[in-house]
């Protein structure tokens, strides 16, 4: 890899620099660009800055780097690395430093010291060739010895894959994942079937796989490339919430992405749709009405989404039509008597529309309850649960997020869990409960149903036994689910078979809340009232960068000082987008400095451009069925409770009070959550929210986005930004429906 061809005439030869990697000050996980300090052995603690693609290099390793000398106006002399090889350290001191850097799981500075004292310069040879001899070192039992040997082997194998991948600029964490997925077959898969990576390895999209394919010589117009590109375009669409794409749109998206002839794309799409005997096709084509009920289109689905849509429609229809009834007592109940008993329990009358919702949920097999804040959804749910339990019905309560489940449990006084935990999802995404092994339930209530995406809704409905009653509760005016589909909206579609009640009356007590009043104003397209409110404020700042800084000041200092709220536990910054000076990414960095600053006596872990510390508020950014008791899911929030540099692991206590360990090479599954995008906040509620509303987020500013953000707050909302941006958000109704056909299928077509 570092064998350079002889320099052509007039071309400068690459300089060579050797040194020990002392610390990494910055690393971009996406492209491997690294800024590091190396000890060149000149003594006097003199460290030199090197910059470039030091992908996979570990602290403590001796490096032989080739590159060019340069100078930085601020940082002085630097060495720009073009390629490097690692050399195992030869001195006892170098070996001790190398092992003590946390390179090998299970060896920290203490054991590195003991091992090198015992074996001296032979240490690395012993670990490599006779690892059982490590047991000679005081304190190293057979268990730890075995682990060290395994970690060393894995490290060696990963290194080999990394050296191969270095030529295609794949990040360290992705190289580790490729190795974990394919083991010894990694290099052959990467070389011969690079497009498999996009389907098999999280974090590798089509674009990375395409770059790898190009570097291993796969032609631009290879049918493999075009088929992979079509599936990528569809998976991008599902990431944006669509269950399918109209064929014409998919073809034009693919032509733009792949830069190949339209004819080739059409041919490859036909190949994907035509599966050989006994195999699944790559995509499914079907005629359905257009997204806004317009002219029919040829919809192209990825197979799992087509199956889920057919299945969800069939399961809901089955539940609606079954003759069985697990709550027959409510067929001929004396409602006056039942409601009088309920009033005795709750000391409150139900409004007529609430009463209608109670009757509906207890007499119909599938029903929907929707409405905005302050309209009594929660009290209606509590009433339904009280009456069902009075008749000894088995009631099961669930919500898509840990926070929403906790709130549902507090409200009803009954146990509630996340949908994932309820179904006991397993590695691979299969549920322990399904049609063949349904839940033991007479009534299933799902709160925050606007968050249910197609795949999760299908898993849930499959597990509801025939004759049980299923109630979806949610606010249809909020943002739709992060995942594909618009399940709640499709259930409420006109002419559909699912009965629904929409609560519209804001109760007097709720009318006194600025949060509730303004949520309804925003939803109706009116400006929120911000003058003289005790719980709803606007800090005007037209400059986007200044608005970002002010947002941090409000969340980290002003609200805690005035309202006594904890900036980590009680206050959440909700940004319309991730990027930009007032985006969640930048604000997270600033809020971390303000709330959880670094301390010399506390360990921290730098990963990519981020630093993790004990006390950090973090969120999981992908579904991982292998983590925790029943998986950890996209949007789960928690706090870092411990960080162990020797075991290379940090632990997060989630909102569901589960301690979940993360190896350091899994940290790209975590992001800081002092600030999150409004999309990621769905289903959660916080005492206070701070929302930057700036012209920098112009394209994202929509009514349902602002409405969702405001309705996340229980006690206090602070908007920070410009009146112009606020006006844009209130005026703009989100463009178009998602491409789904669930409503069409439910109408019996």
């Amino acid at each position: 890899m570092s064998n350079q061809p002889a320099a052509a005439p007039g071309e400068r030869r690459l300089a060579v620099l050797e040194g020990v990697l002392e610390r990494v000050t910055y690393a971009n996980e996406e492209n491997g660009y690294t800024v590091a300090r190396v000890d060149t052995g000149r003594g006097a603690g003199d460290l030199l800055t090197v910059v470039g693609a030091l992908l996979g290099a570990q602290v403590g390793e001796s490096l032989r780097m080739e590159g060019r000398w340069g100078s930085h106006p601020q940082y002085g002399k630097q060495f720009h690395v073009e390629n490097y090889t690692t050399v195992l350290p030869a001195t006892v001191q170098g070996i001790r430093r190398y092992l003590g850097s946390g390179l090998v799981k299970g060896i920290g500075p203490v054991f590195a010291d003991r091992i090198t004292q015992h074996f001296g310069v032979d240490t690395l040879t012993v670990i490599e060739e006779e690892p059982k001899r490590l047991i000679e070192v005081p304190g190293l039992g057979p268990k730890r010895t075995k682990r060290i040997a395994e970690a060393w082997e894995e490290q060696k194998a990963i290194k080999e894959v990394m050296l191969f991948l270095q030529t295609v600029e794949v990040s360290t964490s992705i190289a580790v994942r490729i190795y974990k997925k394919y083991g010894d077959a990694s290099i052959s898969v990467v070389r011969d079937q690079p497009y498999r990576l996009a389907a098999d390895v999280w974090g590798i999209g089509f674009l990375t796989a395409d770059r790898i394919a190009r570097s291993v010589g796969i032609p631009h117009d290879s049918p493999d490339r075009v088929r992979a590109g079509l599936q990528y375009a569809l998976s991008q669409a599902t990431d944006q919430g669509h269950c399918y794409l109209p064929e014409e749109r998919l073809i034009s998206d693919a032509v733009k992405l792949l830069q190949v002839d339209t004819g080739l794309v059409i041919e490859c799409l036909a190949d994907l749709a035509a599966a050989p005997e006994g195999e699944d096709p790559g995509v499914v084509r079907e005629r359905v009405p257009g997204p806004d009920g317009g002219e029919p289109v040829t919809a192209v689905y990825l197979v799992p989404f087509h199956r889920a849509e057919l299945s969800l429609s069939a399961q809901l229809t089955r539940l609606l039509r079954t003759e069985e009834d697990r709550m027959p007592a409510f067929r001929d109940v004396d409602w006056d008597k039942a409601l009088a008993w309920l009033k005795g329990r709750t000391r409150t009358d139900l409004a007529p529309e609430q009463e209608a919702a109670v009757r509906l949920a207890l007499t119909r097999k599938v029903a929907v309850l929707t409405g905005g804040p302050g309209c009594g959804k929660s009290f209606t749910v509590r009433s339904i649960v009280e009456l069902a339990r009075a008749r000894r019905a088995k009631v099961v309560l669930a919500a898509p997020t840990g926070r929403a489940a906790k709130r549902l449990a507090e409200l009803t006084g009954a146990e509630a869990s996340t949908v994932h935990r309820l179904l006991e999802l397993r590695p691979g995404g299969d549920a322990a409960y399904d049609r063949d092994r349904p839940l033991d339930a007479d009534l299933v209530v799902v709160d925050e149903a606007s968050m249910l995406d197609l795949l999760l809704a299908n898993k849930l409905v499959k597990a509801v036994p025939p004759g049980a009653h299923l109630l979806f509760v949610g606010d249809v005016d909020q943002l739709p689910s992060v995942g594909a589909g618009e399940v709640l909206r499709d259930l409420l579609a006109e002419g559909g078979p699912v009965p629904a009640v929409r609560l519209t009356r804001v109760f007097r007590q709720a009318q006194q809340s600025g949060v509730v009043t303004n949520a309804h104003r925003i939803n109706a397209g009116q400006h929120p009232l911000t003058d003289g409110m005790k719980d709803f404020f606007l800090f005007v700042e037209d400059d986007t960068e200044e608005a970002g800084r002010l947002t941090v000041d409000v969340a980290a200092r002003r609200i805690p000082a005035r309202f006594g709220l904890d900036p980590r536990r009680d206050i959440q910054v909700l940004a319309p987008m991730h990027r930009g000076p007032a985006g969640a990414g930048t604000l997270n960095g600033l809020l971390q400095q303000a709330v959880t600053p670094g301390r010399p006596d506390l360990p921290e872990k730098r990963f990519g451009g981020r630093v993790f510390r004990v006390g950090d508020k973090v969120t999981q950014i992908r579904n991982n069925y292998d983590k925790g008791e029943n998986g950890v899911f996209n949007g789960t929030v928690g706090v870092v409770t411990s960080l162990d540099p020797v075991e290379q692991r940090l632990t997060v206590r989630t909102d569901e009070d589960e301690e979940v360990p993360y190896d350091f090479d899994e940290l790209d599954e975590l992001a800081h959550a002092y600030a999150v995008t409004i999309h990621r906040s769905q289903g959660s509620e916080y005492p206070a929210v701070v929302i930057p509303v700036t012209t920098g987020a112009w394209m994202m500013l929509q009514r349902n986005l602002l409405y969702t953000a405001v309705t996340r707050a229980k006690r206090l909302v602070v908007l920070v930004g410009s009146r112009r941006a606020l006006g844009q958000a209130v005026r703009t109704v989100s463009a178009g429906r998602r491409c789904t056909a669930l409503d069409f299928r439910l109408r019996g077509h």
Side-chain angles (χ1 to χ4, degrees), residues 36 75 92 149 197 283 336 377 422 494 613 670 698:
Y75 304 112
V92 172
L197 302 174
V283 298
D336 291 339
K377 278 201 310 291
L422 174 68
E494 224 172 293
R613 300 182 181 125
L670 285 180
W698 196 256

Side-chain angles (χ1 to χ4, degrees), residues 450-467:
S450 62
M451 288 185 69
L452 278 182
D453 61 43
L454 174 68
L455 299 181
L456 187 58
N458 177 46
K459 287 188 171 90
L460 171 69
V461 175
K462 256 190 206 168
V464 177

Side-chain angles (χ1 to χ4, degrees), residues 122-175:
D122 297 329
T123 297
L124 299 181
T125 313
V126 169
I127 296 175
E128 171 88 38
E129 294 170 9
E130 302 176 88
K132 286 184 176 155
R133 282 192 61 201
L134 288 170
I135 205 160
E136 296 169 18
V137 177
L140 278 186
K143 229 179 191 173
R144 191 184 280 266
T145 300
K146 186 167 178 270
R147 276 186 54 216
I148 290 171
E150 284 167 359
W152 180 265
E153 280 306 309
E154 183 173 90
Q155 185 61 36
K156 257 177 42 193
I158 289 173
K159 200 74 169 181
E160 208 178 301
V161 175
M162 280 187 186
L163 294 180
F164 174 71
L165 291 175
Q166 197 166 17
T167 52
V168 289
E169 294 182 353
V170 170
S171 78
T172 317
S173 56
I174 285 176

Side-chain angles (χ1 to χ4, degrees), residues 136-461:
E136 296 169 18
V137 177
L140 278 186
K143 229 179 191 173
R144 191 184 280 266
T145 300
K146 186 167 178 270
R147 276 186 54 216
I148 290 171
E150 284 167 359
W152 180 265
E153 280 306 309
E154 183 173 90
Q155 185 61 36
K156 257 177 42 193
I158 289 173
K159 200 74 169 181
E160 208 178 301
V161 175
M162 280 187 186
L163 294 180
F164 174 71
L165 291 175
Q166 197 166 17
T167 52
V168 289
E169 294 182 353
V170 170
S171 78
T172 317
S173 56
I174 285 176
V176 170
R177 260 200 238 109
I178 289 173
Y179 176 75
K180 283 190 170 171
K181 177 75 184 171
Y182 304 116
D184 294 341
S186 298
I187 290 173
S188 66
V189 170
V190 170
R191 192 185 288 122
D192 304 331
Q193 301 168 281
Y195 291 109
R196 258 183 76 185
L197 302 174
D200 292 353
V201 183
W202 181 76
I204 298 190
F206 171 79
L207 300 178
T208 304
D210 201 33
R211 195 171 68 221
I212 295 169
R214 198 162 53 243
S215 72
V216 297
I218 288 176
H220 184 70
D221 58 357
S222 150
D224 278 350
R225 176 174 184 264
V226 177
R227 286 192 289 267
L230 279 161
Q231 288 181 302
Y232 170 70
L234 276 177
S235 74
Q236 286 288 92
T238 63
D239 287 348
Q240 288 157 13
H242 300 296
C243 297
Y244 69 82
L245 276 185
E247 187 172 45
E248 285 173 18
R249 187 165 144 198
L250 172 61
I251 290 167
S252 73
D253 284 0
V255 167
K256 213 179 295 173
L257 168 75
L258 298 164
Q259 301 288 299
V260 294
D261 288 346
T262 307
L264 178 60
V265 170
I266 291 169
E267 271 174 46
C268 290
L269 182 56
D271 288 349
L272 276 174
E277 193 64 43
E279 281 183 38
D280 280 337
V283 298
V284 176
R285 293 196 283 196
E286 186 186 353
R287 294 289 281 177
V288 300
D292 290 304
E295 287 299 302
V297 296
T298 297
V300 186
Y301 287 84
L302 289 171
V303 172
F305 294 92
H306 185 256
R307 279 195 185 138
E309 208 173 74
L310 284 175
S311 166
L312 178 55
S313 163
Q315 303 293 345
L316 285 166
T317 305
R318 172 180 68 96
L319 291 175
L320 282 161
R321 290 183 180 166
T322 183
E323 287 299 310
E324 286 178 63
D325 192 346
R326 293 180 62 134
M327 295 203 296
F330 290 100
R331 279 184 188 163
D332 44 19
V333 74
D334 181 334
W335 282 104
D336 291 339
K337 210 167 165 186
L339 295 169
W341 175 86
L342 185 66
K343 185 182 175 181
R345 296 272 295 182
T346 61
R347 312 237 179 286
T348 314
D349 274 317
L350 287 168
E353 51 190 16
Q354 290 178 308
E355 194 181 303
V358 169
R359 288 183 184 221
L360 197 66
L362 296 172
T363 58
R364 301 292 287 273
K365 305 292 172 40
V366 183
V368 176
L369 170 62
T370 188
C375 293
K377 278 201 310 291
S378 297
F379 182 68
T380 308
V381 170
R382 187 182 146 198
S383 302
I384 291 164
V385 171
E386 287 272 5
L387 279 169
R389 286 164 77 192
R391 290 297 175 114
R392 295 201 167 30
K394 287 178 184 143
V395 181
V396 167
L397 305 172
T401 66
R403 275 178 183 246
K406 259 186 186 166
R407 201 175 63 236
L408 187 58
E410 284 160 13
L411 165 76
T412 56
E415 203 180 308
S417 67
T418 62
V419 177
H420 301 100
R421 275 183 189 278
L422 174 68
L423 300 177
E424 291 179 17
L425 288 182
R426 305 275 174 76
D430 292 328
Y433 292 95
D434 56 18
R435 192 166 175 178
D436 298 327
R437 186 197 174 198
L439 296 161
D440 182 15
D442 303 322
L443 170 65
V444 178
V445 179
V446 190
D447 200 7
E448 293 288 354
S450 62
M451 288 185 69
L452 278 182
D453 61 43
L454 174 68
L455 299 181
L456 187 58
N458 177 46
K459 287 188 171 90
L460 171 69
V461 175

